[in-house]
Amino acid sequence: MNSFVGVDGGADHLLAAGVTPAAVIGDLDSLSDAARATFAQQLNHIPEQSTTDFEKALTRVSAPVVLGVGFTGGRLDHALSVLNVLARYAERAVLLVDAHEVSFLATLGHVAFTAAPGTRISLMPLGQATVTFSGVRWPFAQTRMAPDGFTSPSNEASGGVVTIETDGPVLVTLPRAHLALAMKAAVRAK
């Protein structure tokens, strides 16, 4: 069963779409009065400020796969904090989805998926990782990646099987049109 969770002011988007969430989670500092009144029974107010609303929700939602919509745009500091949470909760299958892209975290082992030639695939390490990346235009093997070192943005599939082998956290980003593919890969990456 698919359920929606409004994360603080994100519940306003659900209200505008006519969707009733299973819960609204966060410090609720950006939730409108209309959403607060409409979703009064679903409110989970967590007033502490040592975690982000994204982390508050992620640690209180039990689901085999979490689609996080609306966490990558707007403010750079918020997007960076979301990446920090992904790295710290690497055992969770979480996909970040926006209007153009979908991203998931590969952590340990082997991730493989099939992609058409020219499909953009970006790898961004969220920590130290030794990575082998094949089935792409610019492959590499046993290469040390780090947030302040080597990254692989805007690579592209050669056509066929793309393989990522990693021993650390690497954010994989694909065009949003590949959401279903990313979802399958994210679940296998855990």
Side-chain angles (χ1 to χ4, degrees):
M1 179 175 127
N2 296 331
S3 294
F4 291 89
V5 172
V7 178
D8 204 335
D12 285 295
H13 295 283
L14 295 176
L15 180 62
V19 174
T20 300
V24 176
I25 300 172
D27 60 17
L28 308 183
D29 64 346
S30 60
L31 185 66
S32 72
D33 291 339
R36 188 179 304 273
T38 302
F39 303 137
Q41 298 301 312
Q42 289 87 1
L43 297 181
N44 292 276
H45 183 223
I46 304 157
E48 56 85 3
Q49 292 296 309
S50 60
T51 61
T52 64
D53 289 325
F54 178 68
E55 186 172 358
K56 287 173 175 75
L58 187 61
T59 58
R60 288 163 175 83
V61 170
S62 177
V65 179
V66 173
L67 300 181
V69 179
F71 293 102
T72 59
R75 290 180 43 185
L76 181 59
D77 61 336
H78 285 186
L80 291 172
S81 71
V82 167
L83 297 179
N84 173 277
V85 171
L86 281 185
R88 289 187 290 115
Y89 293 91
E91 72 282 359
R92 300 289 306 269
V94 178
L95 289 93
L96 299 176
V97 182
D98 65 26
H100 306 286
E101 299 173 323
V102 58
S103 300
F104 66 93
L105 194 63
T107 52
L108 297 173
H110 178 92
V111 176
F113 53 87
T114 302
T119 300
R120 185 178 38 78
I121 306 169
S122 296
L123 298 186
M124 176 58 68
L126 297 186
Q128 299 289 324
T130 300
V131 179
T132 297
F133 193 20
S134 61
V136 292
R137 184 173 183 184
W138 299 284
F140 50 88
Q142 294 295 303
T143 301
R144 196 73 178 148
M145 298 183 83
D148 63 349
F150 178 73
T151 65
S152 183
S154 298
N155 210 324
E156 59 185 55
S158 300
V161 177
V162 173
T163 303
I164 304 162
E165 294 179 32
T166 183
D167 66 358
V170 178
L171 190 72
V172 180
T173 301
L174 300 165
R176 183 175 175 180
H178 298 287
L179 176 61
L181 181 150
M183 191 176 307
K184 289 177 188 173
V187 170
R188 287 193 301 258
K190 301 298 167 216

